[in-house]
Amino acid sequence: MTLSIRWKVTLATLVAVACGLVLAGILAIQSLQQQEIAQLSEVLDARTKLVDFGLRPLFEASSPPERSTLQAVARELAERASARVTVVAADGTVLADSAVREADLPAVENHLSRPEIQQAAATGQGQDIRASQTTGERTMYRAVAMSRPAGAPPVFVRAGLPMTLLDREVAKLQQNLILALGAAFGVAVSLSVWLARSLTRPLSNIARAAQQLAAGERTIRIATDAHDEVGLLAATLNDMADQLHAKIAELSEDRAQLLAMLTSMVEGVMVLDYRGHVLQVNPALERMFGVTRAEARGRSCAEVFPHERLNELVSAILATRTNREDEILLPPSGRCLHIEASVAGGERENEAFAVLVFHDITELRRLEKIRKDFVANVSHELRTPLTSIKGYVEALLDGAKDDPEALNKFLDIILKQSDRLNLILEDLLELSKIESGRVSFKQDPLDIRSVVERTLSMIKPIADKKGHRLVTELDDRLPPIAGDEDRLVQVLTNLLDNAVKYTPERGMITVAARLVPEPARALPEHRALELSVSDTGIGIPEQDRPRVFERFYRVDKARSRELGGTGLGLAIVKHIVEGHGGQVWVEGRQPQGSRFVVRLPLRHPSRLAAQLTETNTA
């Protein structure tokens, strides 16, 4: 529990006063007790000497006194001296004791071990205070060695005074002192509370005002009438609060601007100190490396980001203190990051030493690769028909034109290669227009059944030549969709054309359409239309499936050129489907063949159905 300054001052004062009073009371009691004991000791010494004097004639006789006589004298002397009288022989045997009956004397314990007896044997007299084993009372004993003729064994005379009266007086004195000390302590409590309150009230006012200032109440001022150090402190705090609020406002504005920049940056930013410990990271970097700011801050860069090349770059910056650049790949995603490291130069802890900016150039590198592959593929695809045309023209020029049969054959080949070259150029132009956004897709309501029937009517003659069987599996409950009918026919035509080409003779090609839940939506009523083309052809290896929609990508290049085609059909399909807000992918079939799936979203099916009805009626 935290105590306020007022209570701390009060309790400290009370503890000091209480300790002083208790110490004074103990010293007073001890002093009075020692004084009473000294007086009692003087009285006991005098009485012991009187008892010794009274017993000495009995031991100066020629024969030792009788025990009964000695016991009777001891009792009489005890009554006269108002003290307990004990006579102890040199061997510790109790010869007489006024507090013990004569018949019980033989059972009394040997007194040679008593401290006062031992002192008297050594120095002639001794004294001790203890509880009597015979009477049980706390008693002061004083013993003297009786004067005896030379060679006679010593006899010790001991007198004892019970300290009951002394204890009673001391107890009464203690009671009076406790009452006095309690009254003094009560006065001290009142004075301490008043003193603590008068001293801490201005400080309490300052503390409350400081709490309100810390809570953001800038209009609060510390008011005090004191002209001492407390008043000077209040004035100083008021000035400091004004300056602090100005600095806080300035820093808050700068921090908000910096935070907005760091948060909105697409590039990742990491700030390191001179030891290589992370001071700050922005949200973009958190997303790049999958770490949080709380996990990264204060830890070593090598510990947070276990990337060998990145840590080598950081080590080089810390060692050379120079700006550097590098590129790294992040496993397992394969993202490519370009790093620009600038040295800020902070030499102390929690100071920025280096700032690293991470640019995600994965897409740039991918586009560069696509561009290079595209240029290489286009060059190759164009070179093939051009080489063929050039070769046959040269053959004609070399004399083949004079042979009518060869002339017709070569001209027919040149025509086919020219048509192929023209088809490649048309597909390239078509793909370029779609990618550049110059082609706008219609959003007319249409029935997918009409799209399938129109496409099958064009593909059936080609399929019949190879003996293929075309099968349709269309759901009767298919709603209308919004789209461009000509473009969707182009999509389905390309997919069916590929299925016919890559399916051996007498195969089966299936066109299916059904409703499926929209995966991007949480509610079940948001559905999509899934159109699929399945075949029993040669199939596509799993590792090649993700790339079949790239331009000019061919699984089996020799077989693809043998069967014809430009290598751009599936790329066009992908862009048309994505232009309708849909998705397209390919799946493997068991035991053989492929299944191409086109998923198109449904937009306001009830409204589209009404529009389609109006169109058919018109």
Side-chain angles (χ1 to χ4, degrees), residues 407-445:
L407 176 62
N408 291 332
K409 180 180 179 181
F410 288 176
L411 289 177
D412 185 58
I413 293 174
I414 291 173
L415 179 62
K416 289 181 179 180
Q417 295 299 328
S418 299
D419 290 340
R420 181 182 176 188
L421 185 61
N422 185 59
L423 183 61
I424 292 174
L425 293 176
E426 286 180 354
D427 283 349
L428 284 174
L429 291 175
E430 179 76 8
L431 186 60
S432 176
K433 287 191 296 183
I434 294 175
E435 288 182 340
S436 63
R438 287 180 291 169
V439 175
S440 58
F441 297 104
K442 299 177 183 178
Q443 293 294 318
D444 297 332

Side-chain angles (χ1 to χ4, degrees), residues 57 64 75 174 233 236 260 264 281 292 303 333 374 404 448 511 525 554 573 578:
R75 286 182 179 275
Q174 288 178 346
L233 175 61
T236 304
S264 61
V281 295
T292 63
E303 182 182 355
S333 62
F374 176 73
I448 198 64
V511 180
E525 59 266 20
R554 301 177 190 272
V573 166
E578 290 180 349

Side-chain angles (χ1 to χ4, degrees), residues 47-57 77 144-147 155 157:
R47 295 182 181 182
T48 303
K49 291 179 179 179
L50 289 175
V51 172
D52 175 59
F53 182 77
L55 291 173
R56 192 176 301 168
L77 290 175
V144 296
M146 186 182 297
S147 299
V155 176
V157 177

Side-chain angles (χ1 to χ4, degrees), residues 171-439:
K172 184 177 181 180
L173 177 61
Q174 288 178 346
Q175 184 179 3
N176 293 335
L177 280 174
I178 289 173
L179 293 175
L181 294 177
F185 185 75
V187 175
V189 168
S190 301
L191 292 176
S192 298
V193 171
W194 175 82
L195 179 62
R197 184 177 181 183
S198 62
L199 289 176
T200 59
R201 183 188 299 149
L203 295 178
S204 300
N205 295 335
I206 292 175
R208 283 194 297 270
Q211 289 175 349
Q212 293 174 340
L213 289 172
E217 299 184 19
R218 302 185 180 183
T219 58
I220 297 298
R221 307 290 294 175
I222 301 174
T224 179
D225 298 331
H227 299 285
D228 52 6
E229 290 83 354
V230 175
L232 178 61
L233 175 61
T236 304
L237 287 177
N238 285 331
D239 295 338
M240 185 177 68
D242 295 337
Q243 298 177 11
L244 184 62
H245 282 307
K247 290 294 182 182
I248 290 176
E250 182 180 353
L251 291 175
S252 298
E253 184 178 355
D254 293 343
R255 184 179 183 276
Q257 295 174 357
L258 179 61
L259 185 60
M261 288 189 293
L262 287 176
T263 304
S264 61
M265 284 180 65
V266 178
E267 296 80 6
V269 178
M270 178 168 61
V271 183
L272 303 176
D273 64 5
Y274 72 98
R275 302 171 300 172
H277 289 187
V278 179
L279 297 180
Q280 190 63 266
V281 295
N282 72 334
L285 190 72
E286 295 178 355
R287 293 189 294 270
M288 288 179 182
F289 287 90
V291 299
T292 63
R293 188 182 314 177
E295 294 173 350
R297 292 184 64 177
R299 297 170 61 191
S300 171
C301 178
E303 182 182 355
V304 180
F305 307 102
H307 193 286
E308 182 178 357
R309 189 155 184 176
L310 172 61
N311 294 324
E312 289 177 357
L313 175 64
V314 171
S315 300
I317 295 170
L318 297 177
T320 62
R321 300 174 181 269
T322 57
N323 299 340
R324 289 179 177 266
E325 293 186 18
D326 200 354
E327 287 186 12
I328 63 172
L329 288 176
L330 294 182
S333 62
R335 299 174 68 183
C336 183
L337 303 180
H338 178 75
I339 307 175
E340 294 181 1
S342 302
V343 177
E347 297 291 341
R348 292 180 295 181
E349 190 174 351
N350 293 328
E351 267 191 359
F353 175 81
V355 179
L356 282 71
V357 180
F358 296 75
H359 303 269
D360 190 344
I361 59 174
T362 306
E363 185 65 17
L364 179 61
R365 291 289 181 262
R366 190 185 70 84
L367 293 176
E368 288 180 355
K369 184 178 183 303
I370 292 175
R371 179 182 60 80
K372 292 177 182 178
D373 293 343
F374 176 73
V375 171
N377 289 328
V378 167
S379 301
H380 183 77
E381 295 294 334
L382 295 178
R383 186 182 295 115
T384 300
L386 287 175
T387 301
S388 180
I389 292 172
K390 181 180 178 182
Y392 284 105
V393 170
E394 290 176 350
L396 291 174
L397 293 175
D398 289 340
K401 65 180 181 296
D402 297 330
D403 183 356
E405 184 178 353
L407 176 62
N408 291 332
K409 180 180 179 181
F410 288 176
L411 289 177
D412 185 58
I413 293 174
I414 291 173
L415 179 62
K416 289 181 179 180
Q417 295 299 328
S418 299
D419 290 340
R420 181 182 176 188
L421 185 61
N422 185 59
L423 183 61
I424 292 174
L425 293 176
E426 286 180 354
D427 283 349
L428 284 174
L429 291 175
E430 179 76 8
L431 186 60
S432 176
K433 287 191 296 183
I434 294 175
E435 288 182 340
S436 63
R438 287 180 291 169
V439 175

Side-chain angles (χ1 to χ4, degrees), residues 529-583:
L529 187 144
E530 188 175 276
L531 181 66
S532 64
V533 175
S534 306
D535 60 58
T536 57
I538 59 177
I540 301 174
E542 184 177 356
Q543 64 271 17
D544 293 311
R545 290 173 198 159
R547 302 192 60 189
V548 295
F549 295 98
E550 296 180 8
R551 304 184 190 104
F552 299 113
Y553 185 81
R554 301 177 190 272
V555 177
D556 186 346
K557 296 179 174 57
R559 184 176 179 86
S560 297
R561 292 194 179 94
E562 178 185 346
L563 295 173
T566 63
L568 296 172
L570 290 180
I572 294 174
V573 166
K574 178 183 178 183
H575 284 85
I576 293 176
V577 172
E578 290 180 349
H580 282 76
Q583 298 173 301

